[in-house]
C-alpha cells in the first residue's frame, strides 16, 4: 500500500484513508502495516484539548490556514465523543473544518473516543503514527473534554495546547490539578468576552506559582482570526526545543497499546447484553459480575 507522495508531490490521500481504516478496525494486515511504518521526517503531533464549546475546531481551522500559507502539509485527527448508549459518534468536526476539505495539502479524519474518558484510545496512537509516517509536516489531534483524565493527551502529543474560555474562571481551581501539568501553552479563546483579562491574569498567577517554567497564555478570538498567528508561531518554535518528556510520552503510548491488547475479546455491546441478562436474573452484584466476566 503506497501511502506516500505521488509523482506530482501530493500525498496519496485515498491510500492513507484505507490504511487508517485497516488500523482502526483491526483488519487483516494492520499489525504488519504498523510494524512497517518508517518515520523519515520530523512531524510533530500537536494535541489540542479543552471543554466542549471552547472553539477548538475554529482555532484548528485558523492554524491550518496559516500553516498552508507556508506550504505545509497538515493532517487533522478530530476525536468526537462516543455515545455510551448507541456507541455512535457525532463526528461533527468535519463540518466545522469544511473550508479545508478539498485542499490537496490537508487531510481530515474523524475518530470516535471508543469510551476512553480522556478522549484518546490506543487506536488514536496507532492512527496518529500512520499519519506521522507518510510525509505530513504537522499532525493536529483535537480531543474532547477537560479534566484529570485529559492528561492522556501527554501520551500522544509533542506539544499540548489547552483551550479555555473566560467563563471557566470560577472553575480554575478545580481544573488545574489535571491540566496545569500537561499544557505547553494555554489559550483563552473568545477573549472578546467580559472577564477575559481577569481570567488570563488569574491563570498566569496560578501556573506561575505551581510550575517552575511558566507556559505562555495566549488570548484569541478564533472566529475572527485574532491571535491565531501567535499560536502558529509558538507551535513552530516550540518543537525546535528539546523535548524532555519523550520517555514519559513513550511510556504512556506503550501502556495504552498493552492495555488494548489485554482487552482483546471484550466486546462492549456484548458486555451490555450480558449485564442486561445478569440484571434480569436478580441479585446482581457489580463486583461479582466483574470477577466472573474477567
Amino acid at each position: 500500500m503506497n501511502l506516500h507522495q505521488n509523482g506530482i508531490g501530493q500525498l496519496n490521500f485515498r491510500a492513507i484513508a484505507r490504511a487508517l481504516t485497516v488500523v482502526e478496525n483491526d483488519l487483516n494486515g494492520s499489525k504488519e502495516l504498523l510494524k512497517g511504518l518508517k518515520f523519515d521526517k520530523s512531524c510533530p503531533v500537536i494535541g489540542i484539548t479543552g471543554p466542549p464549546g471552547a472553539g477548538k475546531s475554529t482555532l484548528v481551522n485558523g492554524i491550518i490556514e496559516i500553516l498552508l500559507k507556508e506550504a505545509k502539509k497538515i493532517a487533522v485527527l478530530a476525536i468526537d465523543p462516543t455515545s455510551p448508549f448507541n456507541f455512535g459518534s457525532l463526528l461533527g468536526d468535519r463540518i466545522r473544518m469544511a473550508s479545508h476539505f478539498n485542499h490537496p495539502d490537508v487531510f481530515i479524519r474523524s475518530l470516535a473516543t471508543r469510551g476512553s474518558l480522556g478522549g484518546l484510545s490506543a487506536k488514536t496512537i496507532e492512527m496518529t503514527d500512520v499519519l506521522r509516517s507518510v510525509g505530513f509536516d504537522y499532525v493536529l489531534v483535537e480531543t474532547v473534554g477537560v479534566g484529570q483524565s485529559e492528561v492522556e493527551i501527554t501520551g500522544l502529543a509533542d506539544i499540548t495546547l489547552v483551550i479555555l474560555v473566560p467563563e471557566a474562571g470560577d472553575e480554575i481551581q478545580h481544573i488545574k490539578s489535571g491540566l496545569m501539568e500537561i499544557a505547553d501553552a494555554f489559550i483563552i479563546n473568545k477573549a472578546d468576552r467580559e472577564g477575559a483579562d481577569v481570567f488570563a491574569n488569574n491563570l498566569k498567577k496560578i501556573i506561575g506559582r505551581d510550575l517552575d517554567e511558566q507556559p505562555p497564555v495566549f488570548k484569541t478570538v478564533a472566529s475572527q482570526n485574532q491571535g491565531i498567528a501567535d499560536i502558529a508561531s509558538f507551535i513552530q518554535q516550540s518543537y525546535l526545543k528539546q523535548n524532555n518528556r519523550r520517555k514519559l510520552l513513550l511510556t504512556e503510548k506503550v501502556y495504552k497499546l498493552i492495555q488494548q491488547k489485554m482487552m482483546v475479546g471484550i466486546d462492549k455491546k456484548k458486555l451490555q447484553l450480558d449485564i442486561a441478562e445478569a440484571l434480569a436474573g436478580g441479585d446482581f452484584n457489580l463486583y461479582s459480575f466483574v470477577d466472573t466476566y474477567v
Side-chain angles (χ1 to χ4, degrees), residues 32-53:
E32 291 75 14
L33 191 156
L34 289 169
K35 290 178 181 179
L37 295 178
K38 298 185 185 305
F39 303 96
D40 296 329
K41 67 179 290 186
S42 174
C43 176
V45 176
I46 314 300
I48 300 169
T49 187

Side-chain angles (χ1 to χ4, degrees), residues 1-2 12-23 33 109:
M1 190 180 293
N2 181 19
N12 189 341
F13 280 5
R14 286 188 178 183
I16 293 170
R18 286 196 298 270
L20 291 174
T21 298
V22 168
V23 169
L33 191 156
R109 176 79 169 225

Side-chain angles (χ1 to χ4, degrees), residues 224-236:
Q224 300 175 27
N225 279 325
Q226 294 179 13
I228 307 294
D230 292 336
I231 309 300
S233 177
F234 172 79
I235 288 172
Q236 292 169 300

Side-chain angles (χ1 to χ4, degrees), residues 71-235:
K72 303 298 184 183
K73 299 183 190 303
I74 305 128
V76 180
L77 197 59
I79 305 174
D80 284 279
T82 305
S83 166
F85 301 106
N86 62 13
F87 305 101
S89 176
L90 291 174
L91 304 180
D93 293 290
R94 296 186 185 211
I95 299 172
R96 291 189 288 274
M97 298 179 196
S99 59
H100 293 118
F101 254 173
N102 295 323
H103 197 287
D105 291 330
V106 179
F107 179 89
I108 300 173
R109 176 79 169 225
S110 293
L111 174 68
T113 59
R114 295 172 176 253
S116 179
L117 290 177
L120 297 180
S121 68
K123 287 298 158 196
T124 312
I125 296 172
E126 295 171 354
M127 293 171 73
T128 300
D129 278 341
V130 170
L131 294 171
R132 284 178 55 229
S133 73
V134 299
F136 288 106
D137 295 296
Y138 292 93
V139 174
L140 308 181
V141 179
E142 178 198 333
T143 186
V144 294
V146 69
Q148 184 65 39
S149 63
E150 205 63 355
V151 298
E152 290 184 11
I153 193 71
T154 61
L156 179 71
D158 298 296
I159 300 171
T160 300
L161 307 178
V162 174
I163 304 178
L164 300 169
V165 288
E167 290 83 356
D170 295 337
E171 304 170 12
I172 194 169
Q173 293 293 337
H174 301 292
I175 66 172
K176 69 170 186 167
S177 59
L179 291 180
M180 295 300 164
E181 297 143 10
I182 70 167
D184 293 296
F186 290 93
I187 301 170
I188 300 175
N189 193 30
K190 305 181 182 181
D192 53 343
R193 293 183 177 178
E194 185 179 353
D197 290 336
V198 173
F199 179 53
N201 289 333
N202 289 340
L203 183 60
K204 288 176 183 178
K205 289 176 184 176
I206 289 176
I207 60 180
R209 183 183 67 208
D210 291 354
L211 300 175
D212 295 331
E213 184 177 349
Q214 181 171 322
V217 176
F218 297 100
K219 291 191 291 184
T220 62
V221 184
S223 60
Q224 300 175 27
N225 279 325
Q226 294 179 13
I228 307 294
D230 292 336
I231 309 300
S233 177
F234 172 79
I235 288 172

